Amino acid sequence: MANGFLRKAIQAIEFETRSFAAGSTQNLYSRRPSNRVNQWAKWLSPGLFVKRWLLISVLGVILSLLGLAIWIRLNPIFRVMQFLETFLSTLTTVIPNYISGPLVLVMGILLLLWAHGRTVGAIAGALRPDNDEELVDLLLNHRRLNRGPKIVVVGGGTGLSTLLRGLKHYSSNITAIVTVADDGGSSGRLRRENGVLPPGDIRNCLSALAAEEKLLTELFKYRFRAGKGLEGHSFGNLFLTAMTDITGDLERAIAASSQVLAVRGEVLPATLCDVNLWAELADGRCITGESSISEAGGKIVKIGCIPANPPALPKALQAIEEADFIILGPGSLYTSVIPNLLVPQITEAIDRKDIPKIYVCNIMTQPGETQDYSVADHIKAIDLACGRQLFNAVLVQSQSPSAQALIRYAQDNSHPVFLDREAIKNSGRQIVNANVMEEDPDTGYVRHNPQLLARVLLRWYSRMQLLKTKV
């Protein structure tokens, strides 16, 4: 019954989305002539795989007419040609050929272009009723994204979804490897009550990678405010839980949900094991549970998981093996980034890859996890957790937040992560210093800006690739 409700809700939302946006399709035919010429010219762009099929179509028409002519021994064609000869002779007698010829040629070209434009507009309206973008632009963008680098992003929490929101505009070949150690909030309740892996971080990543379905994305984020058993749960978490029950495991549930949201890329759990985090604090306490670690308020000296050495998801290992670029973070250091690296097969797979690998450091320290940490302290924690150096560069925020934001964070005993250059260089890491921050003027909260962050990362990756080819 619950599953049927979920299906009907999704169908209703999709219908409303199409209905709401249907009015935009009338703009497909109201372009100015200059814009239309530009759109037609784009069909000649290389890489669309359109021109070859048009030429083959023309060849097919010619061969069909030739076959018909041979079959009927040319008698009707001879009569038609004779009629046309007579007609054209009469026409050129009335209107000179240097006028009638170009005039007929221009008319033919205009008819061809008009028919082409109307055909393309009709196809675009049928395929994308909620988008008034030209079909050729959609094809060009699709080709560009498909040719993007194969990027693997490892992490969890809001930091990972923020990064994915920017990366999806540069490549469709994105794989997000997400921690499944969450045991708090809606995810924790579903984990305890239904025995499923926590869907929260996965749901955020799916929403972030969704192509255009804004209303469906909002639906996945919707959190129930009332109702016995429903209050506090997000619709996306319930949907993934239902899909897991229907398909048999979380991996298949994610794949099915990706189709609903038209996701660019892939979201994969680091492992399908029921993993619980534990942390040893400097005062001797041992805390179990992801949500309890940050609430304990102590300095973390060691972190691990139960069961130890969980097996990695095979598809996650395959994605790492095929990757061109690997990004760690951003996100909570001990409860979002490092839990993925506690899966030994993932750590080993990343270590084997000789490609650009970068860690995106958080902008602010996090009380209960990274209080008073510098950038070098973040790096040391990752190296210690996985027993090796996995990345060769670190991205650090270059500008300090505003005074309002600093005061706001100081009240929670949080401060900008200090950039200790000398210690970072001694660790053998390259420093990528850039302004990738955005600040909410009302709340004073600072976050990574998805577009700025993705742009800086892709530029660094391009430079590394260029240097590699020169060497």
Side-chain angles (χ1 to χ4, degrees), residues 236-316:
N237 286 355
L238 295 176
F239 181 85
L240 281 171
T241 301
M243 289 297 288
T244 301
D245 189 40
I246 292 170
T247 60
D249 63 48
L250 183 59
E251 184 181 357
R252 293 193 188 97
I254 295 170
S257 302
S258 297
Q259 293 179 355
V260 172
L261 287 174
V263 164
R264 290 178 186 167
E266 199 169 24
V267 181
L268 300 173
T271 177
L272 291 179
C273 276
D274 187 14
V275 174
N276 282 287
L277 292 182
W278 60 263
E280 185 180 320
L281 307 184
D283 58 12
R285 286 182 294 163
C286 189
I287 309 297
T288 303
E290 181 264 351
S291 59
S292 302
I293 291 173
S294 56
E295 295 173 358
K299 180 179 176 59
I300 300 170
V301 294
K302 190 176 181 181
I303 191 163
C305 66
I306 304 171
N309 305 324
L313 186 74
K315 286 191 71 175

Side-chain angles (χ1 to χ4, degrees), residues 40-250:
W40 290 328
K42 287 180 181 178
W43 285 99
L44 302 177
S45 301
L48 281 181
F49 302 113
V50 170
K51 299 183 292 297
R52 67 189 67 178
W53 302 117
L54 288 176
L55 290 174
I56 291 174
S57 298
V58 171
L59 180 61
V61 171
I62 293 173
L63 290 176
S64 299
L65 292 175
L66 181 61
L68 180 63
I70 295 171
W71 189 10
I72 63 176
R73 297 182 180 180
L74 296 176
N75 291 334
I77 294 178
F78 173 76
R79 300 296 182 189
V80 171
M81 296 300 296
Q82 193 176 43
F83 170 77
L84 285 175
E85 183 181 3
T86 305
F87 173 76
L88 291 175
S89 297
T90 306
L91 180 65
T92 53
T93 302
V94 178
I95 304 174
N97 63 329
Y98 60 84
I99 296 176
S100 58
L103 183 63
V104 173
L105 178 63
V106 169
M107 288 177 61
I109 293 173
L110 288 176
L111 281 173
L112 180 64
L113 293 176
W114 177 73
H116 168 76
R118 299 291 290 191
T119 301
V120 170
I123 294 172
L127 295 178
R128 298 296 297 272
D130 59 338
N131 196 329
D132 62 354
E133 191 175 2
E134 292 286 349
L135 183 60
V136 64
D137 291 324
L138 294 174
L139 285 172
L140 286 169
N141 191 49
H142 177 73
R143 293 293 179 190
R144 178 182 63 83
L145 292 175
N146 279 351
R147 290 173 177 172
K150 294 180 180 178
I151 306 172
V152 170
V153 187
V154 182
T158 57
L160 180 58
S161 58
T162 297
L163 173 59
L164 295 176
R165 200 168 284 114
L167 287 178
K168 72 178 181 181
H169 297 291
Y170 293 89
S171 177
S172 289
N173 304 310
I174 302 171
T175 301
I177 298 177
V178 188
T179 176
V180 287
D182 188 10
D183 65 353
S186 171
S187 292
R189 286 171 57 193
L190 290 171
R191 182 177 183 178
R192 291 187 297 271
E193 295 169 6
N194 295 75
V196 297
L197 293 177
D201 287 348
I202 292 170
R203 177 252 305 168
N204 286 333
C205 292
L206 287 173
S207 298
L209 286 174
E212 298 291 344
E213 299 288 344
K214 184 178 179 181
L215 191 56
L216 278 173
T217 303
E218 290 299 317
L219 173 66
F220 260 53
K221 292 180 179 179
Y222 176 78
R223 198 169 292 274
F224 292 93
R225 300 181 181 88
K228 187 176 181 181
L230 286 176
E231 188 176 3
H233 280 303
S234 73
F235 181 86
N237 286 355
L238 295 176
F239 181 85
L240 281 171
T241 301
M243 289 297 288
T244 301
D245 189 40
I246 292 170
T247 60
D249 63 48
L250 183 59

